[in-house]
Amino acid sequence: MVYINARYPLHVEMFFDKTSVSMIPWFPNWANELIEKISGLLSAETSEIVNQDSYERFLVKEVSSSFLLNGGQTVTLQVLLLMLAGFFTMMRKMTQKSPRASLIFRKAERIMDINFFARSFQGTILPLALAVNLQFQNFDTSTVINCLSLALCIIGFFFVAGMMTAIFKVSRREKTCYKAKDRLSLGRQYQGIFEHMNMLSKFGCYYMWTYHFKKILITYILVFTQAVPIFQIVSLTILYIVHFYCIVKYNPIGNSVLRKVFVITEVFLFFAHICASFYIFEYTQDVDVRYIVGWVLIGLLLATIMINIMGMLVEVCSQIKEVMVQLRRMVLRMKQAMKRRTSVKIRRVSRHSVRQILKQRKNLEESLQEFRELSLGAAGIQSRVEKLKSNPFLKHDNSQILGLKSGGEDFGTRFTIAGGNVFDQS
């Protein structure tokens, strides 16, 4: 809405200036400072950007055509992240003989995968595509810094093209998924691309790619059709109508809250473009009508912003709730594991105690048995000898009867069996 070439009232212009994210002056642009120093070393003439004025609406908003000023920090950050991911991959291959180092680099490589870059690409594609189109609109190689800015723009163009190609190739994998569980597995594998998407819908698999393509198309229309504002407003309105129809018809978004936010956003933006058409077609020159339409436009845009913020808050709250549920489950699993370990220890201790008790009982029984044997004493042994004497089958030799000897010696008795044999009883 900001860069549609229309003559907005003053209060609408003030609203755009206050809410335009691209006009933040304190956002650091390290790429601009670095290239200025490099160009100053290469050329002593000038190290400033020249002949990079944009056209129409962008010139009014003081937006330059230089890619270095508009998207230098974004593309350099993305390139550095790509180089870091490549470094992790190279180090993983070089440290295969060291299991610990290889494991560390493998985990870092998994973090910086296609999902990581897809999520970062969602937030940077709109300003990056706008910066690329603005630079392509004004080619100027009169100074070294302009040449470096153009070279950086080409890098940004290939980065955008590469990411769009990668997302499209991942989306095409749905053709190999013939079952619903295969599509759901694909969505879980590439959450950075298919997050909150309805994987059971074919359009849901390609929705993120078409959504990014829509942003690129919007920036192209805003930059290259500044001289024809009627074409701008008509094409953008048609684009929002088509997008709204696809969301309602094919249901590509699986999250119900996000789907409602998208639908309401498209409706509000459609009516906002209708209000902007009042300033392009100039239906009326009445100041009061233009003033009222401006406030309606501001209200629609504010409502769109608030709805998106509410949707984000609801999504963040749901994610926090899910994280809390996962933490509770983890704590419960840890408690159960501690209980199992404690019960195992108790069982081990109880088994050990039972074994000791049985061993002590056995020793006690043996001790009691020995005590019983020793408690028989002389009386018990004498009674046994009397029994042997009364046995008619044995002849008793009184001279061989041995009494209880002192000093702990054994008892002994000699008997003669009928038949001449001698039997010694000890």
Side-chain angles (χ1 to χ4, degrees), residues 172-185:
R172 280 177 60 87
R173 293 191 180 184
E174 60 87 20
K175 291 186 177 181
T176 61
C177 301
Y178 301 103
K179 297 181 180 179
K181 62 179 182 179
D182 297 334
R183 288 176 176 265
L184 296 176
S185 177

Side-chain angles (χ1 to χ4, degrees), residues 213-231:
F213 184 77
K214 171 198 168 187
K215 292 182 178 180
I216 295 173
L217 187 59
I218 288 174
T219 58
Y220 182 85
I221 293 171
L222 290 175
V223 173
F224 290 98
T225 60
Q226 283 289 313
V228 191
I230 295 176
F231 179 79

Side-chain angles (χ1 to χ4, degrees), residues 58-272:
F58 294 97
L59 185 61
V60 173
K61 292 299 178 181
E62 298 180 355
V63 178
S64 174
S65 295
S66 175
F67 181 84
L68 185 59
L69 296 177
N70 299 323
Q73 68 273 26
T74 303
V75 72
T76 50
L77 178 61
Q78 296 296 326
V79 171
L80 288 175
L81 290 175
L82 285 172
M83 293 174 63
L84 185 61
F87 172 76
F88 287 147
T89 303
M90 181 181 66
M91 292 301 297
R92 178 185 59 82
K93 293 180 180 179
M94 292 176 62
T95 58
Q96 288 182 353
K97 295 182 180 179
S98 178
R100 292 183 178 179
S102 180
L103 179 62
I104 293 172
F105 288 115
R106 187 181 294 109
K107 289 183 178 180
E109 186 182 8
R110 289 177 180 175
I111 292 173
M112 300 189 67
D113 58 355
I114 183 64
N115 295 314
F116 174 80
F117 288 100
R119 287 190 175 96
S120 63
F121 187 67
Q122 291 180 13
T124 60
I125 181 173
L126 191 60
L128 194 58
L130 183 62
V132 169
N133 287 321
L134 284 171
Q135 183 65 73
F136 283 165
Q137 187 190 29
N138 187 1
F139 282 95
D140 186 82
T141 57
S142 58
T143 61
V144 176
I145 193 169
N146 285 7
C147 295
L148 294 175
S149 179
L150 182 60
L152 196 62
C153 175
I154 294 172
I155 294 174
F157 172 78
F158 281 109
F159 173 75
V160 173
M163 286 300 300
M164 291 294 292
T165 304
I167 293 173
F168 184 74
K169 286 184 178 180
V170 172
S171 300
R172 280 177 60 87
R173 293 191 180 184
E174 60 87 20
K175 291 186 177 181
T176 61
C177 301
Y178 301 103
K179 297 181 180 179
K181 62 179 182 179
D182 297 334
R183 288 176 176 265
L184 296 176
S185 177
L186 180 65
R188 288 190 296 268
Q189 184 179 359
Y190 297 99
Q191 292 184 358
I193 300 174
F194 302 118
E195 191 174 10
H196 305 306
M197 296 295 109
N198 183 13
M199 297 302 296
L200 301 179
S201 172
K202 186 173 183 179
F203 184 65
C205 299
Y206 293 91
Y207 179 77
M208 191 54 64
W209 184 84
T210 56
Y211 186 66
H212 293 334
F213 184 77
K214 171 198 168 187
K215 292 182 178 180
I216 295 173
L217 187 59
I218 288 174
T219 58
Y220 182 85
I221 293 171
L222 290 175
V223 173
F224 290 98
T225 60
Q226 283 289 313
V228 191
I230 295 176
F231 179 79
Q232 282 186 328
I233 194 67
V234 171
S235 58
L236 291 177
T237 304
I238 293 173
L239 193 61
Y240 283 111
I241 292 174
V242 172
H243 190 204
F244 172 78
Y245 173 78
C246 291
I247 292 175
V248 175
K249 177 69 175 179
Y250 299 105
N251 191 20
I253 304 173
N255 192 333
S256 60
V257 176
L258 190 62
R259 183 171 61 251
K260 292 176 182 178
V261 170
F262 269 65
V263 170
I264 296 172
T265 300
E266 296 300 316
V267 171
F268 282 7
L269 289 177
F270 169 75
F271 285 111

Side-chain angles (χ1 to χ4, degrees), residues 283-345:
Y283 295 117
T284 179
Q285 297 295 331
D286 192 351
V287 178
D288 294 336
V289 175
R290 292 170 62 88
Y291 187 79
I292 293 172
V293 172
W295 280 114
V296 173
L297 176 60
I298 292 173
L300 290 170
L301 294 178
L302 279 176
T304 303
I305 295 171
M306 294 302 297
I307 288 171
N308 281 270
I309 292 174
M310 290 176 62
M312 291 173 60
L313 291 176
V314 170
E315 185 61 28
V316 168
C317 291
S318 64
Q319 291 180 359
I320 292 174
K321 184 178 179 180
E322 185 177 356
V323 170
M324 294 300 296
V325 170
Q326 295 295 332
L327 288 175
R328 289 177 183 175
R329 291 178 180 176
M330 185 176 66
V331 171
L332 182 60
R333 286 196 295 266
M334 291 176 64
K335 288 183 178 179
Q336 291 177 354
M338 292 296 293
K339 287 182 179 179
R340 293 194 195 98
R341 292 178 183 177
T342 306
S343 62
V344 169
K345 289 181 180 179

